[in-house]
Amino acid sequence: MLHISKHNLLSLLTHASSSWQVFCPSKQGSTVNFGWFEGTVDTVAIPVNSCKGAFLPQTEELFTYRGTPETGLSLTGGFDGQKPVLIFFARPCDARALTLLDRVFLEGEYADDRYRSRRARSVVVTVGCKSPLDTCFCTAFGIGPDSKAGSDVFVYEDETSLYFEPLTEGGAGFVAAHLAYLAEGGTPVSVMEELRRAELPLAGRIWVEGMAEMLDSMFDHPVWEKMSARCRGCGACTYLCPTCYCFSVFDAPRGTHGKRYRSWDSCQFSDFMLMAGGHNPRPTRKERVRQRFMHKFNYGVKRQGDYLCVGCGRCIRACSVGLHAASALFDLKEAGR
Amino acid sequence: MNDLREQLKEAVASAFSQGRVRSFVCLERGFYPFATMPAILHSGSDADRVEIGLADAPLLAKYLLDMPKPAGIVVRSCDALGVSRLIRDRRVKREDLYIISISCPGVVDTAKIPMSMHRITALEKAGDALIVHTALGPTELPWSSVLLDRCLACVSGAASTDADVVLDDGRGKPPAPVDYSEIDEVEHMAPDERYAMWEKEFAKCIRCFACRNACPACSCRKCSLDLPEPEWLSRAVILPEQFMFHFTRAYHVAGRCVGCGECERACPVGLPLMKLNRKFTRDIETLFGVDDARIPRDVEVLGTFLPDDPEEFC
Ligand code: SF4
Ligand code: SF4
Ligand code: SF4
Ligand code: SF4
Ligand code: SF4
């Protein structure tokens, strides 16, 4: 298998960044976050955020407008083909989550131009998780530390080296373009074995089978009231979740010109569903928390054919009051049986 | 410790049975073995769920806003400051509250325990150590190395006296010495360097509002930053808006921040918000000669206008 010594990784990435926009984890203050490559990379920690921002940026300008009734309206800006995106070190849950976002933004009646264009030429390099966190429960969703769904290249990591296994044509192209940095030989058999055997204690407490059907009849269940009582109504859980995709479009007017933006939005915000005239169909935290988990564990299954959760545990780490996918699955099961 | 918990359960149950409260906010066992989470109780029969909160205890004051009154709350001293804040900001009335204060030896931050939570079978405080029991045997960690950041700056672990019931087992954490060295460090940076640091931090902020929503001093019914009209802050997460948000938040709590650190604890991406809050707190202490500006008082230096003020109003 082609491999690279960890010492040389930075030179590979620096080289890659001349033809790719590299999105990778790096140390930012007290946490490790995914972001655009700026000369450093952290290959050990599982970042607090997901890599969805590479394809669905938190904020992007759609266009600038300018005009008066006399001059008429002119639009400038818009999307030009940028360098292709390279995700360097997604985790198996991240890669799988991208396939779920694809169903939302690429399939069905409306495909999103920008998402499609960023995603079309992207290469997702995924590293197997040798040290899953206390908060990881991807195996509850049929994923695991060595799952390859959604990845173009899979990487096995041992003490000194990273072994590259190309899985798709795009992945093979990426590897071929960096042969100068890679050496041939060796198969990390023991790492492969270790990944296969990895156990996630949290997944043992989670039950997913049949959850969607069970929730069909739980819309009015009192459990939502109980679960949501502690929610602080922030957007931490949804913003950091790799499968949450809600956004809103708004203008920032400045006299005779302005910009139109698209930004992430969160169903946990009180004004998410607020309508002109003041009506709010989800007036309290109960409705909002219910929406979040119904979307993940019921509506998603109906609309996108799968749970919209990959068990990455990011919401567990994000929520300051312990209201997350794992606690919800646990409480819902208790309530529904 | 257990003793205190038994007394607390009893006190909560009797608050309900005496008709003193319609709801009660306290801590209960969380999803992870030793973490605790907020619980809002509606009947005395739920009092069994009450936990003291040895580890990962969120602060509760802010929940009072939405609870049916009269409302009960269990507070340790940092949370008591938050409750006092809400009362002085006229967001809740003291007579609508039933406060049980408890003494507090400090709260463990499980993120600071260097072993898997799933392997831990018990946590125990023994003197100045935390004993972490696992199947492989116990490990001893210095108590101060595993505490939440807020406890390292604790006003006092003794139970607050402005309460309807005071439960103090005498094991409260002694007040932490005031230490502004972290603020000194920032103040001594060259302006460009300091600007670059904050720019980097603010760029990380995902504007989830967890900090605001957790804060007992951020208690406006409708936050100006949420208003669609006029739109003070757009949803665009771009640098000028990040500065707008962070300055608004920090200035709005200046003079009212109780230093509880819940904003920083709630931040999912680790912004050092206490560096801003504590800078203001210290400035108020030095500029106005206030002793410990975290403690809410009847005359607030930034909330009072004196007709004979030597300075112009604006
Ligand atoms: S569940 Fe937690 S992270 Fe999500 S909105 Fe509620 S308090 Fe915030
Ligand atoms: S709901 Fe939580 S665990 Fe599931 S994918 Fe989202 S962040 Fe990860
Ligand atoms: S700050 Fe003090 S009172 Fe508050 S949790 Fe820490 S030790 Fe207890
Ligand atoms: S909690 Fe952190 S990320 Fe969220 S808005 Fe506050 S500073 Fe930003
Ligand atoms: S700003 Fe932070 S430290 Fe100050 S009162 Fe609010 S949550 Fe507590």
Side-chain angles (χ1 to χ4, degrees), chain B residues 59 76-79 104-107 148 150-157 173:
Chain B
L59 293 181
R76 42 196 92 228
S77 69
C78 48
D79 227 353
C104 171
V107 171
L148 287 173
R150 73 164 180 255
C151 303
L152 302 176
C154 177
V155 224
S156 161
K173 193 174 177 307

Side-chain angles (χ1 to χ4, degrees), chain A residues 28 59 134 230 232 265 320, chain B residues 63 117-118 204 235 237:
Chain A
Q28 307 281 335
T59 295
D134 276 359
R230 67 180 183 274
R232 286 173 160 165
D265 203 347
S320 56
Chain B
Y63 289 100
M117 283 297 285
H118 298 291
K204 253 176 79 180
R235 199 143 276 177
V237 177

Side-chain angles (χ1 to χ4, degrees), chain A residues 234-236 239-240, chain B residues 201-202 204-213 242 245-246 249 262-273:
Chain A
C234 64
Y239 277 2
L240 294 173
Chain B
E201 293 293 350
F202 294 161
K204 253 176 79 180
C205 164
I206 55 170
R207 285 251 301 282
C208 64
F209 293 117
C211 50
R212 177 196 67 182
N213 291 14
Q242 300 297 78
F245 167 59
H246 281 283
R249 191 204 64 79
E262 192 66 354
C263 49
E264 195 173 279
R265 197 188 73 83
C267 177
V269 293
L271 262 76
L273 298 171

Side-chain angles (χ1 to χ4, degrees), chain A residues 9 12-13 22-25 34 41-43 86-90 123-126 155 162 164 174:
Chain A
L9 183 61
L12 181 149
L13 279 184
V22 182
F23 206 68
C24 65
F34 265 118
V41 61
D42 184 312
T43 59
L86 173 69
I87 306 289
F88 200 87
F89 277 11
V123 165
V124 178
V125 180
T126 302
V155 174
L162 302 164
F164 286 58
F174 167 77

Side-chain angles (χ1 to χ4, degrees), chain A residues 229-230, chain B residues 12 16 21 23-27 37-42 50 59-64 67 71-75 79 83 98 100:
Chain A
R230 67 180 183 274
Chain B
V12 171
F16 276 107
V21 295
S23 57
F24 214 109
V25 61
C26 59
L27 295 167
M37 63 188 190
I40 294 168
L41 312 181
H42 295 279
V50 178
L59 293 181
L60 306 172
K62 189 85 178 262
Y63 289 100
L64 289 172
M67 287 165 55
I73 184 169
V74 182
V75 292
D79 227 353
V83 175
Y98 186 80
I100 302 179

Side-chain angles (χ1 to χ4, degrees), chain A residues 231-237 268 292 319 321 323:
Chain A
C231 177
R232 286 173 160 165
C234 64
C237 50
Q268 301 307 291
R292 170 172 160 224
C319 181
V321 292
L323 177 58

